[in-house]
Amino acid sequence: MKRIALRIALPACLLACTAPTFAQRPPRYIEPTPYTFDDHPGWQSMFDGKTLQGWEGQIDAWHVEDGAITATDHGNSPSIYLFWKGKDGGDLKDFEFKTEIRLEGEKANSGVQFRAQLLGKTEKPNSQWESFGYQADMDFANVQTGALIECCAGPRRGPSPRPFRASMGLALRTAPEASGTPSLIGRIGDPGALTASIHTGGWNQLHVIARGHTLFYLMNGVLMSTVQDDDPARFIAHGRLAIQLEGSGDRKVSYRNMWLKTYP
């Protein structure tokens, strides 16, 4: 008996449809895009590069020089503040703020005060610009640079600033009592290495993020400090934003490329 080999021709589509498919899976994790200070889509420009339009404060102490908002001082004058007023009075809740800052003078000090509360006018000259709030601090000697604090004690009125200071390289949690001891959440980095990323006497990119109870201070794309404000009685939810100059001796501060992004 002869064996007959049967060959059955299956439709090509059936073979293709039944063959296993191995679709390319997307990567489990996605690398972040690099930090770019000049990435400004969705941000609002706060400075036109020519005038002080949109700002208020001790206007006579500030001027525009070489495309930067600048203040100079000598001796031991009080702090000089300039507040952003924006279209809605400048009251900010959750936001990000970017600027470039340059300090000149060995004892120069500056910084960005935010969620600040104006303390009201008295008989003292320029008292209407005395305020109280969080501050991202900076000084020429880099002793205070990178620190998040509560400020200021200078006017000697209003609330007493809490004693916390998130120095360069620290992540802190405030105490539930205004006079209590803050707790260390962890260390962000070595202060020596962080200091090496600062351009002393040159331009530095300063970036402040305030989202709810969490505050971040970055400089030149490097996280310097962070604070988790868990004090229910003293947490500041909103307020004004100001730039300032203080310190002693001959000193100068310049700000340029000022950008703001707000969140609901």
Side-chain angles (χ1 to χ4, degrees):
M1 178 182 291
K2 294 183 178 179
R3 294 182 179 180
I4 301 174
L6 297 178
R7 294 185 178 182
I8 302 174
L10 296 176
C13 65
L14 181 59
L15 291 173
C17 293
T18 56
T21 58
F22 299 96
Q24 184 67 35
R25 292 184 178 180
R28 174 65 178 85
Y29 301 105
I30 300 177
E31 291 297 316
T33 57
Y35 177 82
T36 304
F37 178 83
D38 293 324
D39 183 15
H40 297 141
W43 294 67
Q44 172 187 353
S45 176
M46 302 170 74
F47 174 44
D48 61 15
K50 300 176 181 179
T51 71
L52 296 178
Q53 183 178 356
W55 296 84
E56 62 182 2
Q58 295 173 243
I59 295 295
D60 57 338
W62 297 84
H63 63 281
V64 177
E65 178 182 312
D66 297 329
I69 297 179
T70 301
T72 57
D73 204 358
H74 313 278
N76 296 296
S77 304
S79 299
I80 303 169
Y81 284 91
L82 189 68
F83 288 82
W84 184 73
K85 58 183 179 180
K87 296 180 180 179
D88 56 355
D91 189 73
L92 299 173
K93 184 181 179 182
D94 289 356
F95 69 93
E96 295 188 47
F97 171 66
K98 290 181 180 180
T99 188
E100 287 184 291
I101 177 175
R102 181 175 65 190
L103 266 180
E104 300 172 73
E106 291 184 359
K107 296 184 178 179
N109 183 290
S110 183
V112 177
Q113 191 174 72
F114 57 100
R115 291 184 179 170
Q117 314 296 308
L118 292 172
L119 299 177
K121 184 174 177 56
T122 66
E123 296 179 357
K124 180 183 174 183
N126 294 312
S127 58
Q128 68 270 35
W129 306 118
E130 292 178 347
S131 59
F132 177 89
Y134 303 115
Q135 183 153 314
D137 217 357
M138 181 178 182
D139 66 333
F140 188 88
N142 292 324
V143 175
Q144 287 290 103
T145 301
L148 279 167
I149 61 174
E150 197 168 62
C151 187
C152 277
R156 302 300 178 190
R157 64 191 180 105
S160 297
R162 286 174 285 175
F164 73 81
R165 181 178 73 164
S167 300
M168 187 187 300
L170 298 185
L172 292 188
R173 177 177 287 112
T174 63
E177 300 84 18
S179 60
T181 302
S183 57
L184 180 65
I185 299 174
R187 297 187 180 275
I188 299 168
D190 174 68
L194 295 175
T195 301
S197 69
I198 300 169
H199 312 308
T200 303
W203 289 102
N204 289 275
Q205 299 170 349
L206 190 154
H207 187 174
V208 173
I209 303 175
R211 300 297 300 269
H213 291 254
T214 307
L215 316 174
F216 297 96
Y217 178 178
L218 298 96
M219 183 165 285
N220 300 322
V222 177
L223 181 61
M224 292 286 168
S225 61
T226 180
V227 167
Q228 181 71 26
D229 191 352
D230 287 338
D231 183 347
R234 293 291 300 270
F235 163 68
I236 306 173
H238 63 91
R240 303 287 299 274
L241 183 145
I243 56 178
Q244 54 119 224
L245 174 65
E246 61 181 12
S248 61
D250 295 338
R251 56 199 183 277
K252 178 179 180 180
V253 67
S254 303
Y255 287 87
R256 69 184 186 187
N257 294 334
M258 311 174 80
W259 295 87
L260 177 71
K261 186 175 184 179
T262 59
Y263 298 94

